[in-house]
């Protein structure tokens, strides 16, 4: 990994663990909950902290908080800021990285519940380990807990409100995208259009990329209009990575997950939709395979039969090509948003996405 990334990731990791400690401490409790009854014990806090902290500690690429920090640098550089001003922008950006990484972690906890998934990052899902009630409550809490990092910013109330409003808008959009996805995977015969699928992914997945970029640019001194412009590129980058993840699910299998579990969950991913565009006569057959896989589980023969059908038509390769094109096009556009694609931070942003694509 580029040492430039490592240095920033070390700072980010420190901030994340400050705002989500392994166990509560007095300063953290006062900051997060204010004055509370003395009878509330560590075991009560643990029911919030442990499911979230366990998933956070399992890793994850942390590319969204890293992107947030790089965007703050890019914005500050574009304003011809001094090195001290750039450093201050980076410090501010690091302080708000829980907004994206905590929201992402919470969304994974909830997503696994809604998909009845078995594993996440190679371990049993939080709701399996800690119980549905604990995981659901902890995941919801973490979304709100993320907002506490804004309180620490040395900004005016109006400036803080920009961060609050931006975060809450994107979280609402994330839930809209999830609502669309749930509708389709709960109804095996309901096939969305490619346009509907893209709209769903832009909200469910792209919204966190958009949030990272807009928060970072705002921290670096960019205007709201500049943030909005860059946010469009960011949501498409997130869409591209989701498409690639959908492809990997049907080929090698995503890390910590089982190959073809999207078939079991009834996901109408892009390979499915591209196949049906070419072969609409297969609609009933795919629907039947989805239903059989859901009933029998990941070991069902329907999983491999469905994968063979999608691969044989070229739909999986077509989706992969589209995903990579979307990422390449929009990452270049994002790096050029301030008309200086050769600045240090812009080059690092391009390198970040190139490295993520190689890992895929």
């Amino acid at each position: 990994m580029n040492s430039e990334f490592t240095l920033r990731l070390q700072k980010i990791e420190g901030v994340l663990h400050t705002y989500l400690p392994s166990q509560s401490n007095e300063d953290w409790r006062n900051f997060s909950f204010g004055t509370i009854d003395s009878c509330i014990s560590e075991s009560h806090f643990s029911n919030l902290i442990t499911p979230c902290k366990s998933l956070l500690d399992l890793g994850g690429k942390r590319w969204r908080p890293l992107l947030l920090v790089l965007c703050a640098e890019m914005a500050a550089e574009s304003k011809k800021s001094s090195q001290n001003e750039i450093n201050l922008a980076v410090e501010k950006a690091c302080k708000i990285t829980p907004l994206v990484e905590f929201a992402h972690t919470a969304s994974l906890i909830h997503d696994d519940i809604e998909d009845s998934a078995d594993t996440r990052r190679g371990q049993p899902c939080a709701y399996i380990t800690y119980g549905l009630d604990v995981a659901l409550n902890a995941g919801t809490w973490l979304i709100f807990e993320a907002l506490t990092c804004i309180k620490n910013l040395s900004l005016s109330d109006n400036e803080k409100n920009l961060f609050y409003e931006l975060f809450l808008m994107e979280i609402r959009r994330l839930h809209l995208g999830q609502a669309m996805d749930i509708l389709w995977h709960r109804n095996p015969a309901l096939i969305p259009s490619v346009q509907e699928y893209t709209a769903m992914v832009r909200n469910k997945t792209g919204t966190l990329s958009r949030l990272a970029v807009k928060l970072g640019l705002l921290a670096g001194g960019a205007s709201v209009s500049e943030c909005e412009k860059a946010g469009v590129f960011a949501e498409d980058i997130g869409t591209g990575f989701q498409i690639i993840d959908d492809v990997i699910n049907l080929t090698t299998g995503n890390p910590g997950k089982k190959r073809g579990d999207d078939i079991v969950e009834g996901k109408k991913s892009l390979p499915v939709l591209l196949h049906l565009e070419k072969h609409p006569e297969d609609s009933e057959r795919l629907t039947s395979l989805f239903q059989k896989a859901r009933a029998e589980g990941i070991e069902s023969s329907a999983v491999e039969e469905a994968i063979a059908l999608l691969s044989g038509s070229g739909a999986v390769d077509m989706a992969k090509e589209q995903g990579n094109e979307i990422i390449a096009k929009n990452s270049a556009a994002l790096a050029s948003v301030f008309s200086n694609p050769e600045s240090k931070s812009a080059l690092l942003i391009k390198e970040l996405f190139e490295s993520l694509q190689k890992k895929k």
Side-chain angles (χ1 to χ4, degrees), residues 76-292:
E77 287 172 354
S78 75
K79 307 301 179 185
K80 308 298 182 184
S81 303
S82 67
Q83 188 57 53
N84 183 57
E85 289 171 326
I86 294 173
N87 292 342
L88 288 174
V90 169
E91 183 181 349
K92 184 193 301 183
C94 285
K95 286 180 178 178
I96 59 173
T97 52
L99 291 171
V100 287
E101 197 62 20
F102 287 3
H104 175 56
T105 301
S107 73
L108 296 181
I109 292 173
H110 286 169
D111 199 44
D112 289 339
I113 293 170
E114 291 158 351
D115 292 343
S116 299
D118 295 324
T119 59
R120 172 67 66 178
R121 295 175 178 166
Q123 297 296 320
C125 295
Y127 77 95
I128 294 175
T129 300
Y130 302 102
L132 176 61
D133 49 358
V134 172
L136 185 61
N137 187 59
T140 303
W141 164 77
L142 190 60
I143 294 173
F144 296 104
E145 183 67 14
L147 289 165
T148 60
C149 69
I150 298 176
K151 294 188 346 181
N152 263 344
L153 297 177
S154 299
L155 299 173
S156 68
D157 288 344
N158 285 338
E159 289 173 311
K160 287 183 180 181
N161 280 339
L162 283 176
F163 286 103
Y164 282 124
E165 289 172 6
L166 173 55
F167 177 81
L168 292 171
M169 172 65 78
E170 300 301 343
I171 293 301
R172 290 195 294 271
R173 293 178 69 161
L174 184 154
H175 284 80
L176 171 61
Q178 184 71 347
M180 296 170 74
D181 194 24
I182 290 170
L183 175 66
W184 299 332
H185 78 237
R186 284 174 63 91
N187 296 273
L190 187 57
I191 308 296
S193 66
V194 171
Q195 184 180 21
E196 288 174 316
Y197 164 84
T198 303
M200 179 274 289
V201 177
R202 279 183 177 145
N203 285 288
K204 178 183 175 180
T205 306
T207 192
L208 291 176
S209 305
R210 185 171 57 238
L211 176 62
V213 166
K214 291 168 74 172
L215 286 170
L217 294 181
L218 199 60
S223 67
V224 172
S225 62
E226 288 171 328
C227 293
E228 290 297 330
K229 177 182 177 181
V232 175
F233 304 136
E235 69 181 3
D236 282 337
I237 292 169
T239 299
F241 278 117
Q242 182 60 59
I243 292 170
I244 299 301
D245 279 349
D246 291 345
V247 168
I248 292 172
N249 184 277
L250 300 174
T251 52
T252 59
N254 299 100
K257 305 286 280 186
K258 296 178 181 177
R259 166 182 154 105
D261 63 356
D262 278 359
I263 302 297
V264 176
E265 294 166 13
K267 293 292 183 73
K268 311 299 167 50
S269 62
L270 187 60
V272 172
L273 303 182
L274 293 177
H275 177 88
L276 291 176
E277 279 191 342
K278 293 174 65 177
H279 300 284
E281 70 277 8
D282 285 342
S283 179
E284 288 188 12
R285 183 181 176 190
L286 269 174
T287 297
S288 176
L289 290 172
F290 278 139
Q291 290 173 323
K292 183 180 179 183

